[in-house]
Amino acid sequence: MARKAQHSKEELRAMALAAAREIVAAEGAAGLSTRKVASRMGYAAGTLYLVFRNLDDLVLQLNAATLEALDAHLAEALARLPADAGPRRRLLALAHAYYLFAREHFHLWSLVFEHHLPEGETMPESLAARVRALLGRVEAELSHLGAGADLAARVLWSGVHGIAVLALTDNLAATGPVDAPALVDSLVNRYLDGFAAAGRNQS
Amino acid sequence: MARKAQHSKEELRAMALAAAREIVAAEGAAGLSTRKVASRMGYAAGTLYLVFRNLDDLVLQLNAATLEALDAHLAEALARLPADAGPRRRLLALAHAYYLFAREHFHLWSLVFEHHLPEGETMPESLAARVRALLGRVEAELSHLGAGADLAARVLWSGVHGIAVLALTDNLAATGPVDAPALVDSLVNRYLDGFAAAGRNQS
DNA sequence: TGACTTTATGAACACTGTTCACTAATCTTT
DNA sequence: AAAGATTAGTGAACAGTGTTCATAAAGTCA
């Protein structure tokens, strides 16, 4: 052994992710650079490459952490609900919590969906697992629908995500003021109503 | 006057947008650079600044063109429908056409939503007008709902957009194979069912 | 002390967006 | 035809980017 490490690799990793998180939160994805992350840690840029394959790798790990925080945020929202709250109420809570998280952590949340991995490469399992966990939360609240719950979960998840994207990137604001929570309510309530109606017709 | 222009400013603008479109379509937003656009036109990079304020400005104009192409694509889809097709059928056609366009022109379509304008700046009217035109198409098919048509239009538009985003960026694929058109069908049909049911209860 | 190992550096490379002094080609005027 | 005016377009420069890698510094062991 030689040159006692100031920080273990695990510490370096955590410091880099924390620095990157602060930068993205404050300046957006465009403000992120290896030199800026490194200098915030008190290291040279080259040091990052001892811990990450490249900047893409760092972003992927930051995104996994963001999804973990989102998951915790959703769990809290559910915990605040009365114990006897029904599925619809719980789904609405999840949907609104999702939108609030996206708004509060806009840049970090954007990075998750705007970071395209290089052609052909596949999402690392660490990230995929986090996505599954989130979707699982929605599926759990829809299990009473029986067959079709997984489809409904994906529709609602995507729908709420779409509302957040368009509302927060001003792509809807061009058409007048947007009340995103009202859109979320309408989506969840009408979709669930429709699902119930369709079910009655079939049976 | 001196040094007869090889191309008028309008021609330069069109050439630059065409070059940028090809680059983005082939390599994605990350592959776009002023030098690459210029060299494809047979000009130096500096020339672009005679026609565009900066690269952001070029991207904004490219995005306006992309939305124009999307609008034409939607118009075609409606035109292919039988003249007696009802609103639901027309809405489904619009939704599926939107998804297909996003899939076929993935990189160009992504650029529209992933290009955040600098903090505080507002979307140029040329783009805003195109967004309004697209949303107007959906609203037109929902006018039979009376009050709440504009809300429903935003919900459906956002929802279909969200499905396209998550399906095409593999953020849902992590949870197993995704049949995006089936998600679109479910969203539009159940939401309209639910809207009809809610309307009955109120009256 | 000398040999060995590992940590971290910082210079180098090829690239980026953007600016601007300048050239070369054309038009206008003499 | 010659001289002067005008401008389209250039290309070098600047500050920044991600990434690599020889090298220096600092520690351990014999």
Side-chain angles (χ1 to χ4, degrees), chain B residues 2-3 5-6 12 35 43-44 46-47:
Chain B
R3 188 159 197 180
Q6 303 280 355
L12 283 180
R35 285 171 175 83
Y43 278 85
T47 303

Side-chain angles (χ1 to χ4, degrees), chain A residues 105-191:
Chain A
H105 305 93
F106 175 66
H107 285 131
L108 286 167
W109 169 80
S110 292
L111 194 61
V112 177
F113 302 98
E114 292 179 4
H115 179 80
H116 303 320
L117 5 109
E119 198 89 33
E121 272 194 52
T122 169
M123 191 188 294
E125 177 52 26
S126 57
L127 246 180
R130 295 238 81 92
V131 174
R132 277 197 300 275
L134 288 165
L135 195 67
R137 286 200 178 280
V138 182
E139 274 175 356
E141 307 303 334
L142 286 167
S143 56
H144 66 286
L145 293 178
D150 55 339
L151 181 100
R154 283 168 174 74
V155 168
L156 285 177
W157 181 267
S158 305
V160 172
H161 177 76
I163 291 172
V165 172
L166 294 190
L168 295 174
T169 61
D170 291 343
N171 269 303
L172 269 182
T175 68
V178 177
D179 182 356
L183 295 183
V184 168
D185 274 334
S186 175
L187 170 66
V188 175
N189 280 318
R190 286 320 131 247
Y191 185 80

Side-chain angles (χ1 to χ4, degrees), chain B residues 134-157:
Chain B
L134 288 166
L135 195 69
R137 288 200 177 278
V138 181
E139 273 175 356
E141 306 304 334
L142 286 167
S143 56
H144 66 287
L145 293 179
D150 55 339
L151 180 100
R154 283 167 174 76
V155 168
L156 285 177
W157 180 266

Side-chain angles (χ1 to χ4, degrees), chain A residues 2-3 5-6 35 43-44 46-47:
Chain A
R3 184 158 198 182
Q6 304 280 357
R35 285 171 176 82
Y43 278 85
T47 304

Side-chain angles (χ1 to χ4, degrees), chain A residues 169-174, chain B residues 60 67 117 120-129 131:
Chain A
T169 61
D170 291 343
N171 269 303
L172 269 182
Chain B
L60 248 21
L67 289 186
L117 7 110
E121 273 195 49
T122 170
M123 192 188 295
E125 176 53 26
S126 57
L127 247 180
V131 173

